[in-house]
Amino acid sequence: MAAMLAGGAWWWLGQPLVLPAGTTAEQPLAVEIPPGASARGVASALTNAGVQAPPLLLQAWFRLSGQSRAIKAGVYEIQPGATPRSLLGQLVRGEQALRSLTLLEGWNFRELMAAVRASPDLTQDLEGLDAAGIMAKIGYPGRHPEGRFFPDTYRMVRQAPASSVLKQAAQAMEQRLAQAWEQRDPSTLLRSPDEALILASIIEKETGAEADRALVGGVFNNRLRIGMRLQTDPTVIYGLGERFDGNLRKIDLQTDTPYNSYTRAGLPPTPISMPGWASLLAAVKPADTRALYFVARGDGSSQFSATLDEHNAAVRKFQLQK
């Protein structure tokens, strides 16, 4: 009899668990194991979530395995075909349900937070906080949030706190900015990593063409060197904020704000977007060029010019089609 029971138990451990109807690889069964749960608590969490197995049998398996205390809390996804043996291994290894959130190059802080708050995979622990409150919560009190998060795809456990993802992205930007600053051209006019971040954020908004980034950095570097205003539309647009309706007008270029690079010399007070690695490098290692101007060709690339006459001719050719 004992041998039969042992054989039956061994057979059961290798059989797929019965899961609720509709459970698929694309829509696995989600189960939350609370912190400090006993073998009985884990078995109850599983059966309450829809695993169709006797709770006492699951509890006995967890205890007799000798690994019940090694089960880790978290949110797990049980795939069709999971057996009692494979399920215990998943819980002991802490293989929780993972999700991802992609932060795009060129996003501003408002767009970043919209993506974070729209994610169904995050626990929203930043509600009611303004920008200053958010930065304080993730460990950067007093820091302006714009441009401080590195654009990348971040993996996190399901229902991770939103603040944890932002903290990870902020730490990534801090590391990447330090790496770029170490590679800076000795002749750069930039005085600090923060200034490099500001310039990189402008480069990010000015071009999506990989080959043009360093040249755009070279143009801005040349302008800073001779005291010429940067005269870049993205800073003006950023200064308009939510008032920008997609149409940049002449009056906008003439109206002074801290971010209007047509009316003010030097860099704006803060970054205007999240720059990627290529833009960070373009800010600190600009191309050696005589160009002071550039204009979009209409295919994603830019035409660079050393003189105003050359630039005006390029504008007529690529913008005015003359």
Side-chain angles (χ1 to χ4, degrees):
M1 181 67 70
M4 290 177 62
L5 288 174
W10 186 258
W11 173 86
W12 175 76
L13 291 176
Q15 294 303 300
L17 291 162
V18 179
L19 304 178
T23 302
T24 64
E26 292 72 29
Q27 293 184 320
L29 177 65
V31 180
E32 182 172 1
I33 306 300
S38 62
R40 179 180 180 182
V42 174
S44 295
L46 291 167
T47 55
N48 289 339
V51 175
Q52 298 174 33
L56 288 178
L57 193 55
L58 287 172
Q59 178 182 340
W61 160 231
F62 296 152
R63 285 181 174 169
L64 292 174
S65 71
Q67 299 186 83
S68 62
R69 293 187 178 181
I71 292 175
K72 297 175 178 62
V75 179
Y76 294 85
E77 288 180 340
I78 304 178
Q79 300 278 353
T83 66
R85 185 180 289 110
S86 69
L87 174 59
L88 177 59
Q90 180 182 357
L91 299 178
V92 169
R93 291 189 298 271
E95 295 173 353
Q96 298 186 51
L98 293 179
R99 293 293 186 268
S100 63
L101 179 67
T102 299
L103 311 182
L104 297 182
E105 290 94 340
W107 273 358
N108 60 33
F109 183 66
R110 185 175 66 252
E111 293 167 321
L112 163 66
M113 290 308 302
V116 169
R117 288 176 172 137
S119 173
D121 300 314
L122 294 174
T123 298
Q124 301 298 331
D125 63 339
L126 300 172
E127 295 302 314
L129 297 179
D130 59 9
I134 290 172
M135 295 304 287
K137 186 172 180 65
I138 66 173
Y140 293 87
R143 189 79 62 87
H144 194 283
E146 201 61 76
R148 293 290 173 181
F149 303 90
F150 189 72
D152 203 349
T153 296
Y154 294 91
R155 298 280 286 172
M156 67 277 183
V157 297
R158 187 180 177 194
Q159 299 307 313
S163 60
S164 67
V165 178
L166 286 185
K167 184 173 184 177
Q168 186 180 354
Q171 291 173 338
M173 178 57 85
E174 208 167 39
Q175 293 167 359
R176 290 297 195 130
L177 181 58
Q179 291 169 359
W181 186 247
E182 289 178 356
Q183 300 179 47
R184 68 189 182 278
D185 190 304
S187 65
T188 181
L189 300 175
L190 301 173
R191 297 169 295 181
S192 67
D194 280 357
E195 288 193 352
L197 183 61
I198 293 172
L199 183 55
S201 75
I202 299 173
I203 296 171
E204 187 66 59
K205 296 298 287 186
E206 276 288 8
T207 181
E210 194 75 18
D212 286 353
R213 292 188 193 277
L215 285 167
V216 172
V219 167
F220 289 139
N221 187 66
N222 290 341
R223 290 185 179 184
L224 289 171
R225 179 174 288 109
I226 66 175
M228 180 180 173
R229 293 173 184 174
L230 295 184
Q231 296 180 331
T232 171
D233 292 354
T235 62
V236 180
I237 292 171
Y238 181 83
L240 292 173
E242 295 185 23
R243 291 178 292 140
F244 180 62
D245 61 4
N247 183 22
L248 191 62
R249 301 169 177 83
K250 184 176 181 180
I251 187 64
D252 297 325
L253 302 181
Q254 296 172 338
T255 302
D256 183 55
T257 75
Y259 290 90
N260 191 333
S261 56
Y262 285 84
T263 61
R264 299 197 182 194
L267 296 168
T270 72
I272 62 170
S273 72
M274 299 190 304
W277 176 244
S279 293
L280 288 171
L281 281 183
V284 299
K285 298 174 69 175
D288 184 7
T289 176
R290 294 176 53 249
L292 285 171
Y293 307 91
F294 61 95
V295 63
R297 288 194 180 108
D299 61 358
S301 65
S302 298
Q303 178 70 32
F304 295 85
S305 304
T307 68
L308 184 57
D309 286 342
E310 291 174 355
H311 176 63
N312 288 336
V315 169
R316 288 193 297 271
K317 178 179 180 180
F318 295 107
Q319 297 290 309
L320 304 179
Q321 305 295 317
K322 293 182 180 180

